[in-house]
Every structure is written in C-alpha cells, then in structure tokens.
Amino acid sequence: MASSSLLLMSLFLLLVVPSSVLSATLRSDIQALESIIRSIDPSSISPSSYLSTWDFSEDPCEGSGTFLGVMCSFTLENTTSRVTEIDLDDDGYDGFLSEAIGNLTELTVLSLNNNRFRGPIPETVFQLRKLTKLSLSGNFFTGDITPGITKLKELKTIDLSKNSIAGEIPPRISGLRSLTHLILSNNHIDGRIPALNGLWKLQVLELGNNHLFGMLPKLPTSLRTLSLCYNSLAGRISPLHRLKHLVSLDVSQNRFSGTIGHEILTFPEISRINVSFNQFISIEVIQVIGMETHLRILDAEGNHLQGPLPLNLATYGNLKDINLRSNMFSGDIPRIYGKRLENSWRSLYLENNYLTGTLPVEFQKISKQIRGSLSNNCLQCPKNVTICQGVQKPKSQCTNAMQEEGLK
C-alpha cells in the first residue's frame, strides 16, 4: 500500500510540478553559451549588463535572476531544456559572434542589437532552421549576405541594418515566404534589387543608405513601409502603383524621373511620402473631395517639378506638412494655401522656385505659429509676414527661367 502511494505521488509530481524544476539544460547548449561569452571582451561587460548575470555555476534554464536575455523551452516529455531565445541588451558588448551559435538548434530568436559585434556573421547561424527573428542591427558586422540565409525558411524578421555588410542581396531571398520585415538599411550593399514579389507576407522593406542601382523590381503588394532612400536607383516609380497598402514611402535621394502619379498620393492608408531629391518633372494631384485620404506629410523637394502649384493639395483633409522647395514651380500662390495654413497645415516650404505675383491676403491674416518659407522666388512678399523672411530673386530671373523652360 505504501509503495503504491509513493508511485501515485511520483506521478502527481511529474504532472503538476513545473517542468523547470525537473529540467536541466542540454550540455551542448551550455557549451555554446560559454563560447558566446568567451568571444566577447570582458572589459565591455558592465556590472549592470545582461551578460554579467551569466553564471555558469547555475543551470542557464533554471537559475533565478541569472542568464538574463536567455529564454528556454520546458517540456514534460523531455527533462532536457533547450535555449530558444537570445535577446541581449544594448550594453556595448565588444567582440565576435561565436560559431558555436550554430549548436543552439532550437533557437527561434537571435537579437544582438546596438552593440559592437564585428567580423562576418558566422555561417553556422544558417544552421538554425527554427529561427524566426534575426536582428543584428547597430553593430560592426562585415562580409556579404550569403545564400545560406535562404535556408532559414521560418524567418519572419531579418534586421541587419546599421552594419558594414557589403555584396548583393541574394535573389533566392524571395524564397523566405514567412518574412514580414526585411531591413538592410545603412550598409554597403550594392547591385540591383532582386524581384521580391514572392515575399507575399512582407510588410516592411527598408534598403536605404546603400549602393543599390537599377530600376525598381517587382515588389510584394502587402508592403506597408517602403524605404529606398539614398541609393542610385533610377527610372519610373509607376511599379509602386500596385502597392495599395503602403502607409509610408521614402524614395528620396535617388535618380527617379518622370511623373509622381496620383495613384500614390491617394493610396487608402498612405500617411507619409518622401520623393525629394530625384529628377521628377511633374506631380499629379487630383481632387479628393468626398474621398477619405490619410496623407499627412508630402516632401517633394529638390526635383524639376514644373508649372503652377497643385491647387488640389488643398482638398487633402489630413495633410499637415508640405515641402515643395527647390523645384521649378511658377505662377501665383493659390489663395487656398493661405486658408489651409490658417486652419490645418502646419508647414509650407516653397522657397527656391519661380513663383511670382503678390502674396495672397490670406497669408497676412494667419495668426498661429507656422513653419515654412517663401524666399528665393519672385514674389511681392511683405517682410512683416514671418513666412516671407529672406531675399527674393529679381522678377526677370523668373521670367527668363520660364521662357527657357518653354523652349525645351
């Protein structure tokens, strides 16, 4: 009777007692963690950092208050715990990422953001077939994005931004069908952007501040954020007309040309558009009265936009900030612009164009504090109006410029 009671009690403990009490971390996982910390300069591990809590006299998956940044799995079926996440703090750890990272085969998250890791990303990382998040932003990693990354079919997030990674984007990266975030900005990546329309779940694509060139590729229609700024991309942006779910678009500081189509300005959820410092010659702004739009910020500075200022901008009900400086706009400033500044617009930058005529009286009635400038045009602009401060060109300069443009 006593032995059967003991057996029942043992079964009860197995079922009820938390598995962490019964578990011990797999030895090869412990060795991998030991190798990771040995690859980091001890002087860069501060007393308040996560790594200072890695005390190998305790079990990594069982210690209380130890091994911060490490998460483990606990199963009733298996008494061995496995490391599933490494998410370190940004304490400035200086060193290399150990190749032993590849032995943590149950790892789903590897996040080492904003430290001083350097050298190439170990190829062994691409053995981590259960990885869903690879986030190494803000370090000093070098080397290429090797095709090995395409083996990680479970990846949802890749963030390698703010490193010194070079080479081209592997074309087969479009095979990572679970990917929702691809962030490779602020590196030295070159070549053409491969077709990415196979990434049908992708919501965020950030490739800015690299050395990419060529025309826009096919992109997934699921995108909500697209940043391609500070590259050498060229051609038309009409392929973007299919991206109807965009909320934020930044293609500034490239060599795009042609027309900024009305389709982009009227995307249902678009809030911010930055097409500045390209070679666009026109912008299509249709009337949107009765149509719900969410556009708040429009930045088209530094292009070759011509003709009169787009009157229909005033029909965009949520628009707050407009920057059209350093273009080739001509003619009068619409009176409705002054009314919008009084009511809803927060900023209006029109300097360095070829605008002429008298400043509409509506601008002189504005009572609230606004940001903007009308300088370096050919306007009759009262100096007591804040937005008029700065010099104007001689009227002949605007007339001559427009005559020259008309002859082209």
Side-chain angles (χ1 to χ4, degrees), residues 95-162:
F96 300 89
L97 180 56
S98 170
E99 290 189 356
I101 190 73
N103 295 329
L104 299 174
T105 54
E106 292 293 312
L107 206 64
T108 61
V109 172
L110 178 59
S111 180
L112 309 176
N113 296 339
N114 300 316
N115 283 288
R116 294 197 292 271
F117 286 97
R118 46 201 156 87
I121 299 170
E123 280 290 319
T124 54
V125 167
F126 308 131
Q127 298 172 13
L128 305 175
R129 301 300 173 86
K130 296 187 178 182
L131 210 59
T132 62
K133 180 179 180 180
L134 176 62
S135 191
L136 308 178
S137 175
N139 284 283
F140 297 97
F141 285 110
T142 56
D144 297 348
I145 304 173
T146 67
I149 200 169
T150 62
K151 298 176 183 177
L152 304 182
K153 301 297 185 182
E154 301 299 317
L155 274 177
K156 294 180 179 178
T157 297
I158 298 175
D159 186 355
L160 306 180
S161 61
K162 300 176 185 175

Side-chain angles (χ1 to χ4, degrees), residues 39-97:
S39 299
I40 295 171
D41 183 350
S43 66
S44 69
I45 302 175
S46 72
S48 60
S49 68
Y50 283 10
L51 285 185
S52 68
T53 68
W54 287 24
D55 179 4
F56 289 94
S57 66
E58 296 192 40
D59 187 277
C61 292
E62 291 185 341
S64 176
T66 61
F67 289 91
L68 294 181
V70 174
M71 294 287 288
C72 299
S73 65
F74 305 99
T75 60
L76 286 174
E77 294 80 11
N78 192 334
T79 57
T80 302
S81 300
R82 298 297 309 273
V83 174
T84 57
E85 296 185 21
I86 296 180
D87 188 353
L88 295 185
D89 53 338
D90 55 351
D91 200 58
Y93 304 121
D94 189 348
F96 300 89
L97 180 56

Side-chain angles (χ1 to χ4, degrees), residues 92-293:
Y93 304 121
D94 189 348
F96 300 89
L97 180 56
S98 170
E99 290 189 356
I101 190 73
N103 295 329
L104 299 174
T105 54
E106 292 293 312
L107 206 64
T108 61
V109 172
L110 178 59
S111 180
L112 309 176
N113 296 339
N114 300 316
N115 283 288
R116 294 197 292 271
F117 286 97
R118 46 201 156 87
I121 299 170
E123 280 290 319
T124 54
V125 167
F126 308 131
Q127 298 172 13
L128 305 175
R129 301 300 173 86
K130 296 187 178 182
L131 210 59
T132 62
K133 180 179 180 180
L134 176 62
S135 191
L136 308 178
S137 175
N139 284 283
F140 297 97
F141 285 110
T142 56
D144 297 348
I145 304 173
T146 67
I149 200 169
T150 62
K151 298 176 183 177
L152 304 182
K153 301 297 185 182
E154 301 299 317
L155 274 177
K156 294 180 179 178
T157 297
I158 298 175
D159 186 355
L160 306 180
S161 61
K162 300 176 185 175
N163 281 285
S164 296
I165 294 169
E168 299 186 358
I169 301 171
R172 291 176 61 188
I173 204 167
S174 61
L176 300 179
R177 298 301 170 86
S178 297
L179 210 58
T180 61
H181 292 67
L182 178 57
I183 306 172
L184 305 176
S185 51
N186 295 90
N187 279 289
H188 306 300
I189 299 169
D190 57 20
R192 300 177 186 273
I193 305 172
L196 299 174
N197 53 318
L199 301 175
W200 60 280
K201 292 184 178 181
L202 196 66
Q203 295 186 22
V204 175
L205 177 61
E206 297 184 5
L207 304 177
N209 286 276
N210 280 291
H211 308 298
L212 298 165
F213 58 83
M215 302 179 73
L216 287 174
K218 293 180 179 179
L219 296 170
T221 57
S222 54
L223 280 176
R224 296 181 63 79
T225 297
L226 175 61
S227 177
L228 304 174
C229 59
Y230 289 90
N231 281 289
S232 298
L233 300 167
R236 307 300 177 101
I237 61 169
S238 50
L240 301 182
H241 294 176
R242 298 172 60 250
L243 310 183
K244 300 184 186 299
H245 299 289
L246 277 181
V247 175
S248 176
L249 171 66
D250 188 349
V251 294
S252 62
Q253 297 283 353
N254 279 284
R255 299 172 185 172
F256 291 117
S257 57
T259 298
I260 304 163
H262 66 86
E263 294 88 349
I264 293 172
L265 274 67
T266 55
F267 283 154
E269 299 178 76
I270 195 75
S271 173
R272 178 180 180 272
I273 296 175
N274 189 347
V275 291
S276 62
F277 298 102
N278 280 283
Q279 298 168 16
F280 295 111
I281 60 170
S282 62
I283 180 170
E284 296 177 347
V285 185
I286 64 171
Q287 192 176 66
V288 293
I289 294 175
M291 182 189 303
E292 185 177 5
T293 60

